[in-house]
Structure formats: C-alpha cells, structure tokens
C-alpha cells in the first residue's frame, strides 16, 4: 500500500456528496450503522443503560428533545446532490413527519424520529453516501465552507478541497476525538466571508502572497455561545504544505493549556482570550518549529485527488448576459424582484447563483417539506447539474443556473411556494428551533421570527430597507448566531416568562463584530415593535448606500438606545 | 430537598419513540390530565422513586417532577411555560404532537 492508500484505509470517517465514497468509506459507514443497530437493540433490551447508550446515540447524531428524539444529518460544506435531497425527502415521509429543518451548521435535523427507526434511517442515508457522524460530541465537527464555493466571482480558490482534506486529517487523529470540547473549523476561499470564519474555533481564509503562491490566513479563538469572541490571526500566511503541521501545532497548544476543569471555559476562544493572541502565537510558532513535521508532510497527490472531486461541471460557453433574462424581467415584475434580490453573479459568463429562500413570510425559518425538497431536487437536475447547497443562513442554493433558464426555474419555484424574494433582507431571519423543539431552550425563537417576518410582509418596504441580518437564538448557546446579527435577539427566561434581549451591531463577515445590548429585555409581543422602530430610525438616519450596520457604526449605539428609551416614554411600555 | 410549593406530576420521555409521558395511577400515560398528582413532599418523592425504577427498567428516560395547578375538573396543568409546551407540541405546528392527537403508547 502507498501512503495515500494507507491513509484512505485508516480513515475512520465517511466523506460524502461531490466527494464520493470510496470502498473504504462505504465499508466504514456500513460498519457504523450495523454497530449502532446493535447498540439500539441492546438499549431496547435493557443491556445498555441510558448513561451507557447516550454517548453512542450522540456519536450518531441522535438527541432527545422536548417532544421526541431529533436526528442531525451531516451535509459537509453544505453540498448535496439531487439524489441525496430526494432521499432526505423520502426519509422525512417514511420515518418522520414530512419535513426537515436546515440548520446554520449546514446540517439537516429531523424532529420526530423514533429510536427504534434510527438504524434504518442511517442505513437509508448511507445508501446515498450520507451519515450523522461528527455532528455532535467533543470532536472536530463537520468542517464548514462558503456556500458559494467554486462559483463565486470573488474566489481565489474553492475552499472545499481544503475542508475535505482537513476532515480526513481530523478523522484520522483519534486523539482529537477526545478534545476538551467540540471544535469547529470553517474555510473560505473568497474576498467576502460567507462562512463566518471569524466566529469559529479555527477559521481559514485562502490567500495569495506577492509571488502568487497560495496559502492560508489562519484565525483562531472565535466563537459564539455564552462568551462570544471574534477570532484573532495566528498565522498571516501559512503555505499549503505547512497547513496540517500548523493546525496540529495549534491543537497541541490547546490540548496542553486548554481548561478541562470547566466545560464553559474549555473552548479555545477562552484560552486565546485569557492568554492573549501574542502568547498563543508564540506558543504555536515554537511548537511548530520544534515538532517533527514529517508526519504532517503535505501530500500534493492526495490534495489533487480530493480537488478532482470538486471539478466544475461541464459549463457551456455563453454570452455574459442573457437577452431572454432581460425580456422576462421587463415582462414579470415579481420575477425581476426575485432576480435582483436572490440571484447572484457567477464566475462563468452566462450563469448565475440562485438562493432559494426557506423563509416564506410567516414561515418557519429553515424548514422544508418533503414535497419542497423534491421540487428542489428536480429543479437542480433540470437547471443546475443536479447540485444543491445549504447555506448557514438556512437557505438552499442552486449554484449553477443558466441565466437563460432563470425564468423557468423561478416559475417552478413559485408554484411550490419557494420563490420568496428576500435573500439577505429583514425577513431572511436565522432562527434556531428554540423552545418549540429544543430541550435546552429558555424561550421560543421561531414565533419571534414569524412575527417579525409578518410585520415586514410588504416586500417593497423590505427592499427599501436593504440588507439586514436578523438572527434569533432560544438560549445562550447561540445556535441562531444572534451575537452576529445586525439585530440579534436572544430568548431568556425572566420571572417565569419568556423575555427577549436585543443586541445591535453584530456582523459575521471579515469586518466581524459582536452585537451590543440595547436595553432591558422585552416581551415576545414587543419584539416586532422594537425592531420596527429601530428600522425606521435607521431609514431616517441613513446616508446614501449605507446598510443598517453601517449607519449603526457611524452614528453609534447610544443613538439607537435613545430610540428605545423614547419609545418607552411614549407609553410603549418597553 | 427543595421547598414544596405546588402540587407536582412526574414527566418523562418514552424510551422507544421519545414521546412525552406522565406517570399515572397505573403506569405511563401520554395525557397529562391523567397524571398522578403529588400534593406533599413525600408523595413527590414516592413518584420520583417509581420513575427511577422505570429508568432502570428501561421504559423511560429524562424523568423529573414538574409543578402543576389543579383545575376545577381536578386535572393538573403544568405551571411553567416549558412544560406547558411539552404537554401540547410545537406552538408553530399546531398540526403536530399531542395537541393534534398524535402519538400513542
Ligand atoms: C435542537 C437541538 C440543539 C441542541 C441540543 C444544541 C446544542 C448546542 C449547544 C449546547 C451549543 C453550545 C456550544 C458551546 O458553547 O460550546 C450549541 C452551539 C451551536 N449550535 Fe446548537 N444545538 C441544537 C440545534 C442547533 C441548530 C438547529 C443549529 C442551527 C440552526 C445549531 C447551531 C449551532 C451553532 C452554530 C453553535 C455554535 C455556537 C458557538 O460557536 O459557540 N444548533 N448548540
Ligand atoms: S440556541 Fe439554545 S434553544 Fe436554540 S437550538 Fe441552540 S441550544 Fe437550542
């Protein structure tokens, strides 16, 4: 066996989607499913107690929630094939309640699986090269990537080969299955950050140096949760051949200094915050210089093998703009709005990137029915080389649509209730499941999202307001990214009631910032009023070209706080 | 032991399907209105002991006592909004869960 074969043979984890299973991966996943079936049987027969069984079920993505079990299915780097999307729909119909929830971690959650059925569900997933591994536990979680990977015009390089390369590396290292806490990595290869890399434990940004060589800017110590932090740069330019060794050095420093005594303090972000980035950088550099790096030698052959799986589809050569598209826009204003808001530029002339919003006005953010999943699968086959992406904004992306086909695609989506033209607007809200499903929640989050969405149901008003990220979490774990919402909403319990804390000024991109608290908590009924007042104030104050966050940064938090205070005095009882 | 302020019922999740269940006069019920009510600390402790027994017997998981109030019909309703949700189902999907008559033991 060559070194590459050996590495593949030992790989104790399964990749998926455009990165296709080889026989080792397939065998590994089947083994895991068989093993879990056995564990479930032993649990049902009483041979395993819940305490003994719990780690096994979590390793397979199965949680116990408020009303039922919940199964979290991995969608690495958010990439799905049409066949996989159809299988997700079939599973929803056969073993769940006809729908699924796409999450901000680019996963899919089923809300109602029965314990007895989960081995069958996992087997059905394995059949289309999917699984629920590394969606839970103190391991390196699924590596996430820009959902416009491979198609964005602002991209230096597709981040997915790097993400897959890292996934294989991290799966190989059993010592990293026993980290002090879970560990999240995100990669982007573009000039704009759509993967929120500054709020991950490790964020990687593909960069080019003066000589044109490709490397990575490495950011460490970001995160949300109860103590949010923006990551700090630990390596400005790490050449590709040093990447694994460099990351290994970071993990060693973390394993050496990281706190295992307190699970809230065990995240790398706390280490970076307590020691300071300069000390961490020095420790990482010293470790990197001293370690035996031969075990982490870059394997260009393996990298190229992985990259080949992400090769572009067979694009046609087309004119840069489409006369058909122009005519259809003139004829159908609703379509024109959809194109203006949900369709983005593609790096290949004549193509476009389409965001299909899973945020209909008043709907549950991120939920899709099995019927809608099938429509999306078919749309991707007819108009997009059978490929789909899940974005961390909980939407679905069709990454390669011919501009000439946009009108036909829109008509098909519209008929299925999937043509809401609100990508990036105030009703494109990220929301975690909150107390409607989640056993950790302190308050509901979905109904808040629905109420805000309905308040801004006038789409022309939404377009006038422009880009505005509203993000809602149902507890301090921050799964709904509220810390990085331009308007963030956190559901808490206050005196036995649901209460909502509002923050302003969060930003998940390269200009990342954590939101600042606006004032005392408000009730669920008050949230849409407060959001509306804030938005109206922004509209009154904004200067040409400013998004909400820009105006907030320019005029300052205090002015927005005054809005809330004045409203309170006016009798709005806030 | 915490101060006993309100009547309590015992809530759990059914092992095989995760459905929310309540300890009734003769075993686990899916309808909270049929739950046995503890009106004193020692009654609550007895309920908990029964629940622990059923954890060991691998019937249920995640067992705990919840405060309730007793309606004029004698049926208990949870006091906290979290358990109020658990006896119904998701407030955003009224077509699903106990509130829609789903589930069975
Ligand atoms: C419903 C079951 C869920 C449970 C039990 C759960 C649990 C948790 C917990 C305990 C944390 C805190 C981690 C920490 O601070 O170390 C966390 C973080 C997170 N969760 Fe969830 N979660 C759930 C659902 C979701 C969903 C649906 C999403 C996506 C919409 C999500 C996305 C995230 C993200 C992005 C973080 C990262 C916060 C960070 O960087 O620290 N989770 N989750
Ligand atoms: S933020 Fe809290 S309520 Fe929301 S999904 Fe995460 S753990 Fe559950």
């Amino acid at each position: 066996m060559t070194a590459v074969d050996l590495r593949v043979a030992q790989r104790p984890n399964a990749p998926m989607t455009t990165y296709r299973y080889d026989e080792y991966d397939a065998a590994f996943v089947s083994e895991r499913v068989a093993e879990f079936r056995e564990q479930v049987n032993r649990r049902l027969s009483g041979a395993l107690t819940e305490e003994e069984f719990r780690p096994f079920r979590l390793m397979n993505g199965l949680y116990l929630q408020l009303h039922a079990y919940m199964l979290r299915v991995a969608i690495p780097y958010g990439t799905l094939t049409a066949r996989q999307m159809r299988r997700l729909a079939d599973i929803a119909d056969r073993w769940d309640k006809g729908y699924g929830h796409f999450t901000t971690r680019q996963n899919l959650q089923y809300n109602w699986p029965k314990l007895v059925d989960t081995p069958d569900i996992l087997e059905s997933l394995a059949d289309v090269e999917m699984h629920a591994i590394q969606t839970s536990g103190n391991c390196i979680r699924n590596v996430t990537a820009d959902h416009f990977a491979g198609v964005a015009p602002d991209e230096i390089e597709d981040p997915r080969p790097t993400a897959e390369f890292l996934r294989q590396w991290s799966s190989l290292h059993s010592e990293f299955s026993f980290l002090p806490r879970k560990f999240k990595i995100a990669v982007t290869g573009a000039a704009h950050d759509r993967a929120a890399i500054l709020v991950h434990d490790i964020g990687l940004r593909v960069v080019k140096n003066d000589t044109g060589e490709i490397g990575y800017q490495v950011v460490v110590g970001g995160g949300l949760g109860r103590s949010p932090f923006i990551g700090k740069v630990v390596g400005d330019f790490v050449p590709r051949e040093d990447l694994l060794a460099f990351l290994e050095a970071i993990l060693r420093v973390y394993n050496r200094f990281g706190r295992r005594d307190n699970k809230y303090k065990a995240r790398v972000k706390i280490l970076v915050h307590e020691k300071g980035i300069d000390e961490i950088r020095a420790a990482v550099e010293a470790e990197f210089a001293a370690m035996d790096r031969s075990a982490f030698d870059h394997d260009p052959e393996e990298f190229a093998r992985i990259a080949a799986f992400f090769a572009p589809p067979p694009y046609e050569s087309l004119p840069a703009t489409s006369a058909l598209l122009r005519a259809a826009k003139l004829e159908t204003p609703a379509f024109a709005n959809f194109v203006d808001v949900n369709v983005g530029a593609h790096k290949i002339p004549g193509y476009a990137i389409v965001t299909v919003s899973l945020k209909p006005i008043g709907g549950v953010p991120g939920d899709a029915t099995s019927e809608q999943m099938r429509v999306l699968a078919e749309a991707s086959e007819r108009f997009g080389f059978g490929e789909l992406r899940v974005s961390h904004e909980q939407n679905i992306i069709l990454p390669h649509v011919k501009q000439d086909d946009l009108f036909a695609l829109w008509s098909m989506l519209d008929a299925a209730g999937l043509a809401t033209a609100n990508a990036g607007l105030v009703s494109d809200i990220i929301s975690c499941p909150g107390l409607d499903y989640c056993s950790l929640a302190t308050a509901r989050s979905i109904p808040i999202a629905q109420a805000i969405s309905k308040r801004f149901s006038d789409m022309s008003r939404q377009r006038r307001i422009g880009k505005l990220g509203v993000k809602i979490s149902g507890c301090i774990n921050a799964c709904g990214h509220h810390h990085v919402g331009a308007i963030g909403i956190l559901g808490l319990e206050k005196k036995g009631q649901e209460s909502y804390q509002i923050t302003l000024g969060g930003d998940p991109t390269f200009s990342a910032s954590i939101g600042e608290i606006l004032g005392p908590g408000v009730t669920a009924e008050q949230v849409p009023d407060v959001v509306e007042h804030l938005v109206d104030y922004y509209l009154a104050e904004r200067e040409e070209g400013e998004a909400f966050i820009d105006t907030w940064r320019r005029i300052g938090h205090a002015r927005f706080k005054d809005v809330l205070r004045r409203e309170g005095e006016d009798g709005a009882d806030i | 032991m915490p101060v006993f302020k309100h009547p309590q019922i015992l809530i759990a999740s059914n092992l095989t399907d995760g459905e929310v269940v309540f300890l009734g006069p003769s075993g686990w019920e899916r309808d909270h209105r049929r739950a046995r009510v503890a009106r004193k600390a020692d009654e609550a402790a007895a309920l908990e002991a029964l629940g622990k027994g059923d954890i060991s017997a691998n019937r249920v998981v995640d067992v705990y006592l919840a405060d309730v109030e007793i309606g004029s019909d004698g049926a208990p309703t949870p006091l906290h909004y979290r358990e109020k949700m658990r006896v119904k189902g998701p407030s955003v999907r009224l077509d699903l869960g106990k509130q829609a008559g789903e589930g069975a033991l």
Side-chain angles (χ1 to χ4, degrees), chain A residues 62 100 128 136 243 358 385 418 549 559 574:
Chain A
L62 188 65
V128 293
S136 154
L243 181 65
L358 296 181
F385 300 101
L418 286 167
I549 180 90
R559 298 268 301 276
I574 284 165

Side-chain angles (χ1 to χ4, degrees), chain A residues 45-56:
Chain A
S45 75
L48 288 176
T49 64
E50 183 65 12
E51 237 166 45
E52 290 162 340
F53 177 66
R54 197 144 129 246
F56 297 139

Side-chain angles (χ1 to χ4, degrees), chain A residues 65 72 103-104 181-182 184 224 267 433 477 479 481:
Chain A
Q65 293 291 68
R72 186 179 286 167
T103 82
T104 53
R181 282 304 305 280
K182 59 186 170 188
K184 294 178 178 175
L224 301 171
R267 295 288 293 264
N477 286 320
C479 305
H481 287 198

Side-chain angles (χ1 to χ4, degrees), chain A residues 371-387:
Chain A
E371 221 23 69
Q372 290 177 323
M373 292 182 210
R374 288 191 188 97
V375 169
L376 288 164
E378 190 182 335
S380 77
E381 275 171 348
R382 276 173 59 189
F383 304 115
F385 300 101
E387 187 183 330

Side-chain angles (χ1 to χ4, degrees), chain A residues 140-216:
Chain A
I140 298 191
R141 298 289 188 90
N142 280 310
V143 179
T144 50
D146 183 357
H147 47 266
F148 288 175
V151 292
D154 65 341
E155 188 171 271
I156 294 172
E157 181 184 87
D158 189 334
R160 290 172 302 169
T162 299
E164 174 56 29
F165 195 63
L166 291 179
R167 193 197 58 74
Q168 295 188 11
W169 162 74
S170 67
S171 314
L172 251 175
H173 285 255
S174 53
E175 71 263 35
F176 296 129
S177 308
F178 302 99
L179 291 168
R181 282 304 305 280
K182 59 186 170 188
F183 205 88
K184 294 178 178 175
I185 303 179
V187 194
T188 182
H192 292 94
D193 181 11
R194 288 169 289 260
I197 69 159
L198 290 177
V199 290
H200 281 74
D201 295 291
I202 289 183
L204 298 178
R205 177 185 184 181
V206 179
V207 285
K208 238 184 216 165
N209 69 7
D210 297 340
T211 64
E213 184 194 357
I214 289 212
Y216 301 90

Side-chain angles (χ1 to χ4, degrees), chain A residues 43-44 46 50 64 66-69 97 99 114-116 435-436 439 442 444 446-447 450 493 496-498, chain B residues 13-20 55 58 60-62 80-82 85-86 89-93 96-97 102:
Chain A
R43 175 72 188 109
L44 293 171
E50 183 65 12
L64 184 62
L66 278 185
H67 311 295
Y69 288 97
K97 298 195 177 185
Y99 70 108
K114 295 186 167 53
L115 174 61
V116 289
L435 194 63
D436 281 294
S439 61
T442 40
R444 281 174 288 175
I446 298 168
Q450 292 175 312
E493 172 171 355
Q497 302 289 328
E498 291 165 292
Chain B
S13 299
N14 188 38
L15 173 68
T16 54
D17 58 10
E19 162 130 25
V20 187
I55 293 180
N58 303 302
V60 292
V61 290
D62 194 23
H80 194 274
Y81 61 85
R82 182 178 190 271
M85 301 271 311
R86 294 198 78 189
S91 71
V92 295
R93 288 296 301 265
L96 300 178
E102 285 191 334

